[in-house]
Amino acid sequence: MDLDEYRTLFTLANLALILMAAMPALSMVVNFSKGVEPFSELWLLGPTHNIDYPSRLKVDEQLHLSVGIGNHLGYSAYYVIYMKFQNQTQPLPDAFNSKPSPSLPLYEFHVFLMNEKTWEAPLTFAILGASRSSNSSVVSRISINNMVFLVNRSSKWDSKSKGFYYQLVLELWLYNPTLDDLQYHNRFVNIWLNLDL
């Protein structure tokens, strides 16, 4: 090899090293994951930080959960999680038509999340006031992260499953800058609670 060939080889090797060293900084500006479907994650974990939730809940018993979001949209995003408390007859969100549950939210988490980042927060839930008549129950008050809400949700006795069933529903909403508004992001999690009266 002559001197010009060595120079060319040396220059190419240096350029390759510079590109490899610059890759982490470039990945913040350039999306290298072409062909990957963008998505968001929403999760709700139980007291031992897994998907094992208690099925029965007594009045004044605290349920310690963790709620989280993962952003894989390819851009920074502003999310809102709406938390709802429902009985067994109130409809869940409609995943096929991208419609949220018609129940009103009681509690909200607001999160701004960079691309490829996750966020997680504790969630403490308790039923504070409930009553029972022969085949129905009424939950009058609940607590979410030490904030008290009046709910007045009734439930009929489920003879097949043997219980008064309620559910916590968490819906993920995403800010749409084109509409300058939040939109239901077609992600939700829910857990069923059998009220032990």
Side-chain angles (χ1 to χ4, degrees):
M1 257 196 238
D2 65 8
L3 187 57
D4 285 335
E5 289 175 330
Y6 277 115
R7 264 192 209 128
T8 303
L9 183 61
F10 181 75
T11 304
L12 288 174
N14 279 331
L15 282 173
L17 284 173
I18 290 170
L19 280 173
M20 287 176 64
M23 205 60 124
L26 281 173
S27 68
M28 295 173 70
V29 179
V30 180
N31 186 1
F32 292 107
S33 59
K34 298 291 184 205
V36 175
E37 185 74 27
F39 67 98
S40 299
E41 299 174 79
L42 173 65
W43 64 85
L44 184 63
L45 300 175
T48 56
H49 212 255
N50 60 23
I51 58 170
D52 186 23
Y53 310 105
S55 60
R56 297 184 74 80
L57 189 64
K58 295 180 180 179
V59 175
D60 293 328
E61 179 182 0
Q62 286 196 336
L63 179 59
H64 298 282
L65 305 167
S66 298
V67 59
I69 303 171
N71 179 359
H72 307 285
L73 294 172
Y75 58 88
S76 297
Y78 177 65
Y79 295 100
V80 176
I81 298 173
Y82 289 124
M83 186 170 171
K84 301 175 178 184
F85 179 71
Q86 304 183 160
N87 66 22
Q88 79 273 34
T89 62
Q90 293 173 289
L92 289 171
D94 182 350
F96 294 108
N97 296 308
S98 296
K99 300 266 187 211
S101 162
S103 299
L104 294 175
L106 297 172
Y107 192 86
E108 303 172 5
F109 291 96
H110 294 259
V111 181
F112 182 80
L113 199 55
M114 302 284 286
N115 185 46
E116 297 303 326
K117 297 293 182 188
T118 60
W119 166 90
E120 192 170 282
L123 172 61
T124 303
F125 175 83
I127 293 174
L128 300 179
S131 60
R132 175 183 180 171
S133 61
S134 61
N135 66 344
S136 65
S137 69
V138 175
V139 172
S140 57
R141 293 180 303 127
I142 63 170
S143 169
I144 304 170
N145 285 348
N146 298 316
M147 293 180 66
V148 177
F149 299 91
L150 302 176
V151 291
N152 197 31
R153 294 279 187 268
S154 62
S155 177
K156 298 280 185 203
W157 176 257
D158 185 329
S159 57
K160 182 178 176 185
S161 299
K162 306 219 181 315
F164 297 109
Y165 285 92
Y166 296 88
Q167 55 187 330
L168 291 178
V169 180
L170 283 81
E171 297 174 345
L172 188 62
W173 290 61
L174 178 66
Y175 176 73
N176 182 330
T178 306
L179 299 175
D180 192 25
D181 202 3
L182 291 167
Q183 283 187 301
Y184 175 57
H185 194 41
N186 210 25
R187 307 278 184 283
F188 77 94
V189 292
N190 70 304
I191 59 171
W192 287 93
L193 299 170
N194 182 356
L195 180 58
D196 191 0
L197 283 174

